[in-house]
Amino acid sequence: MENWEVIELCNQGIIKRERVKNVIHYVCRAAIYEAELSGQPENVIAGLDRVYSQLIQFSAQNTHNIGVKAVTHNDSLLKYCFNQHNEIPVYIVFWLYYVYGNLFGSPAKYTERHYDVYSILQCKYIKYYRLVKAGDKEDVKYRKNIRRLICKMYRSGEYSKVFELYNVPLFDIVAEKELDNISLLFSELFEKELDLAVDDSQAAAIGYIVGRLQGLSAAVKTA
C-alpha cells in the first residue's frame, strides 16, 4: 500500500469492529497510566482527560509532518469508545499508538482487560449522554416557544417592517459608517442601560427601538 493510501486510511477510516474492544481497553490503560503519573491513581477520569490533552498536543505538533489529521476539541474519547456504535476513527488510534506505543504496544492488538476502569469511564459517558439529551430536549422546547412567539408577532402586524427586512443585507439598509456612528453614540450615551441588558440580542433590540424613534423624528422634521 502506498504511503498516501495509508494516510488516507488514517484520516477517513474506522477501526475494524473486532479491534474496537482492544482499543477501548488501551484507552483505559492509558488513563490508568496518566492518573498514576499525575499522582492521582484512583482518578481515571482525570487520567482520561490527560490522555485527551496528550493526543491533542502531540497530534497538533506532528500532523503537518506526518499528514494524519490532528485530534481536536471536537473529538471525544468517551463518545468514540462508549457510544456503542463501534466507530472509532483510525486517526485516533494512530495518535494513541504515536503517544503510548512505546509503553503498551499497538492499540488494535492490545489484549489486556481493565473492566473496573472500563465501567467507570462507561458510567461517565452515560451521565454525559443523558445530560446532552436533556439539554437537547430543552433546546427543542425553547425553539418551539420562540417560533410560536414569532408567529404571534407576525400575525399581529406590529412588527411588519422588521419582517419585510428578513433576508435583506443589513448594510443595504444601514451604511457601515452610520452603524459605527450609532454604536459609538449608543455605547457612550446609554452605558448604564446597556450594562443592564441581559445579552447582545437585548442590546440590539434596544438599539432598534431607539433607531426607530430617531427615524420617526427625522420623518416629522422633513414632512
Side-chain angles (χ1 to χ4, degrees):
M1 185 179 290
E2 297 289 340
N3 186 54
W4 67 267
E5 291 178 308
V6 174
I7 293 174
E8 186 68 15
L9 174 62
C10 287
N11 289 336
Q12 304 297 333
I14 300 297
I15 197 72
K16 290 182 178 179
R17 185 176 293 266
E18 61 268 24
R19 304 291 189 184
V20 166
K21 290 296 182 184
N22 296 348
V23 175
I24 294 174
H25 283 278
Y26 192 94
V27 170
C28 291
R29 182 64 186 91
I32 294 170
Y33 171 79
E34 291 292 352
E36 292 173 344
L37 196 64
S38 65
Q40 305 177 73
E42 302 301 320
N43 194 348
V44 291
I45 300 296
L48 182 69
D49 289 339
R50 284 175 59 88
V51 172
Y52 184 43
S53 296
Q54 292 283 69
L55 296 184
I56 290 175
Q57 177 184 338
F58 278 93
S59 64
Q61 291 172 350
N62 296 282
T63 183
H64 297 298
N65 295 329
I66 296 175
V68 176
K69 68 180 180 181
V71 181
T72 72
H73 292 286
N74 291 325
D75 294 299
S76 170
L77 286 179
L78 275 178
K79 181 179 178 181
Y80 291 144
C81 291
F82 299 103
N83 67 3
Q84 297 183 336
H85 291 313
N86 292 327
E87 294 181 349
I88 302 177
V90 175
Y91 68 89
I92 295 291
V93 180
F94 175 90
W95 292 114
L96 279 168
Y97 180 72
Y98 187 92
V99 177
Y100 299 104
N102 289 337
L103 296 170
F104 313 125
S106 167
K109 298 178 181 179
Y110 189 73
T111 57
E112 291 186 45
R113 293 297 180 259
H114 310 280
Y115 292 109
D116 53 341
V117 176
Y118 181 101
S119 179
I120 292 171
L121 298 182
Q122 185 180 50
C123 287
K124 174 69 174 179
Y125 173 72
I126 290 171
K127 290 179 181 178
Y128 165 78
Y129 176 79
R130 287 173 178 170
L131 284 174
V132 169
K133 295 302 289 184
D136 289 344
K137 288 181 180 178
E138 286 300 313
D139 286 344
V140 170
K141 182 178 178 181
Y142 172 77
R143 294 311 307 173
K144 284 183 178 178
N145 288 335
I146 291 297
R147 285 195 295 271
R148 190 177 295 114
L149 287 172
I150 289 176
C151 288
K152 184 177 180 180
M153 286 188 284
Y154 177 78
R155 289 192 299 268
S156 73
E158 295 179 19
Y159 301 95
S160 58
K161 180 53 66 175
V162 179
F163 284 103
E164 288 176 11
L165 300 178
Y166 182 61
N167 279 338
V168 175
L170 286 179
F171 288 148
D172 288 354
I173 305 165
V174 181
E176 190 170 357
K177 180 181 178 182
E178 185 179 354
L179 190 63
D180 290 338
N181 291 339
I182 293 170
S183 298
L184 175 63
L185 285 172
F186 198 51
S187 61
E188 292 298 324
L189 299 180
F190 305 103
E191 183 177 0
K192 184 190 299 184
E193 288 78 2
L194 284 177
D195 286 340
L196 295 175
V198 176
D199 52 32
D200 291 341
S201 60
Q202 280 198 333
I206 296 169
Y208 165 75
I209 293 169
V210 173
R212 186 175 181 184
L213 293 172
Q214 174 68 25
L216 291 172
S217 174
V220 169
K221 288 179 181 180
T222 58

